[in-house]
């Protein structure tokens, strides 16, 4: 599933370097910095295959980064996971494109570790954890895939204020930022 997405960092390196220069004064001043409220989304369209790879701090999606120990925190993690398991709701694709979600993979320490395995409360409380989601779609009419609307994503996860997108599609490559006020990506 990650065949296309593995090529993205190399293909978009010039865009990433330019963006890094703009972000030089932000947290840690480096690519891939863990920045609350900000996520990244890699999008690759190759023939009928559309792949999405989302990555961001878990605080953006559940409101915290520590291992869930309370019932309330466990419920937030379960809810976020359930939402992420519905990519066609979170990422609105044109119906005319006929996209079907074929594969998905969700990864996060919050999804896997039980409190007893977290290595102690103090360590877990200060750990920066991310949530990663990888999706593959087959689109019967990829030529109709003109936009990707993240309005529902921002409504579902209001802790996310900005998503840095790297895209490779039929019209080449681009790097853009989407926000709740400008949530649509154009292919």
């Amino acid at each position: 599933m990650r065949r296309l997405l593995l090529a993205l960092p190399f293909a978009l390196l010039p865009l990433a370097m330019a963006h890094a220069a703009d972000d030089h004064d932000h947290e840690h001043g480096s690519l891939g910095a863990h920045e609350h409220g900000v996520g990244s989304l890699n999008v690759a369209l190759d023939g009928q295959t559309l792949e999405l790879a989302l990555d961001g701090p878990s605080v953006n999606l559940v409101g915290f980064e520590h291992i869930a120990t309370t019932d309330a925190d466990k419920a937030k993690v379960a809810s976020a996971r359930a939402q992420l398991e519905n990519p066609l709701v979170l990422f609105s694709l044109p119906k005319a494109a006929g996209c079907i979600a074929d594969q998905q993979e969700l990864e996060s320490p919050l999804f896997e570790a039980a409190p007893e395995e977290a290595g102690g409360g103090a360590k877990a409380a200060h750990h920066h954890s991310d949530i990663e989601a990888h999706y593959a779609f087959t689109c019967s009419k990829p030529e109709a895939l003109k936009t990707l609307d993240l309005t529902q994503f921002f409504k579902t996860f209001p802790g996310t204020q900005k998503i840095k997108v790297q895209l490779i599609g039929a019209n080449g490559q681009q790097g853009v930022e989407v926000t709740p006020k400008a949530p649509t990506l154009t292919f």
Side-chain angles (χ1 to χ4, degrees):
M1 166 168 49
R2 296 187 194 170
R3 175 179 56 87
L4 294 172
L5 293 175
L6 289 174
L8 267 171
F10 298 107
L12 296 173
L13 188 58
L15 292 171
M17 295 303 287
H19 194 71
D22 292 341
D23 287 348
H24 184 68
D25 294 330
H26 290 142
E27 182 179 334
H28 306 298
S30 65
L31 288 175
H34 182 93
E35 188 178 350
H36 293 184
V38 179
S40 68
L41 179 66
N42 292 327
V43 180
L45 178 62
D46 183 23
Q48 292 186 311
T49 302
L50 174 67
E51 294 189 45
L52 306 178
L54 176 74
D55 185 14
S58 60
V59 71
N60 296 2
L61 296 131
V62 298
F64 56 87
E65 295 187 314
H66 57 271
I67 300 300
T69 55
T70 67
D71 288 343
D73 284 356
K74 289 177 185 178
K76 288 178 185 175
V77 170
S79 175
R81 185 174 189 139
Q83 298 290 335
L84 289 167
E85 289 173 346
N86 271 315
L88 289 172
V89 172
L90 288 177
F91 305 102
S92 180
L93 299 167
K95 292 192 186 310
C99 297
I100 298 169
D102 290 328
Q103 299 176 6
Q104 65 182 7
E105 182 181 343
L106 304 176
E107 297 177 25
S108 175
L110 299 184
F111 297 153
E112 300 164 10
E116 301 78 31
E117 301 166 3
K123 276 187 181 177
H126 297 292
H127 179 70
H128 288 285
S129 64
D130 285 356
I131 293 178
E132 297 177 19
H134 304 274
Y135 306 101
F137 304 87
T138 298
C139 302
S140 60
K141 296 183 179 166
E143 64 278 3
L145 197 57
K146 304 290 185 200
T147 61
L148 174 62
D149 187 345
L150 280 76
T151 299
Q152 189 59 45
F153 183 90
F154 286 114
K155 286 181 182 176
T156 303
F157 302 114
T160 303
Q161 294 137 16
K162 176 171 52 175
I163 299 176
K164 297 176 182 180
V165 181
Q166 295 182 346
L167 168 89
I168 294 179
N171 294 324
Q173 61 188 35
Q174 62 177 309
V176 297
E177 291 183 353
V178 291
T179 64
K181 290 184 179 181
T184 303
L185 169 69
T186 303
F187 281 82

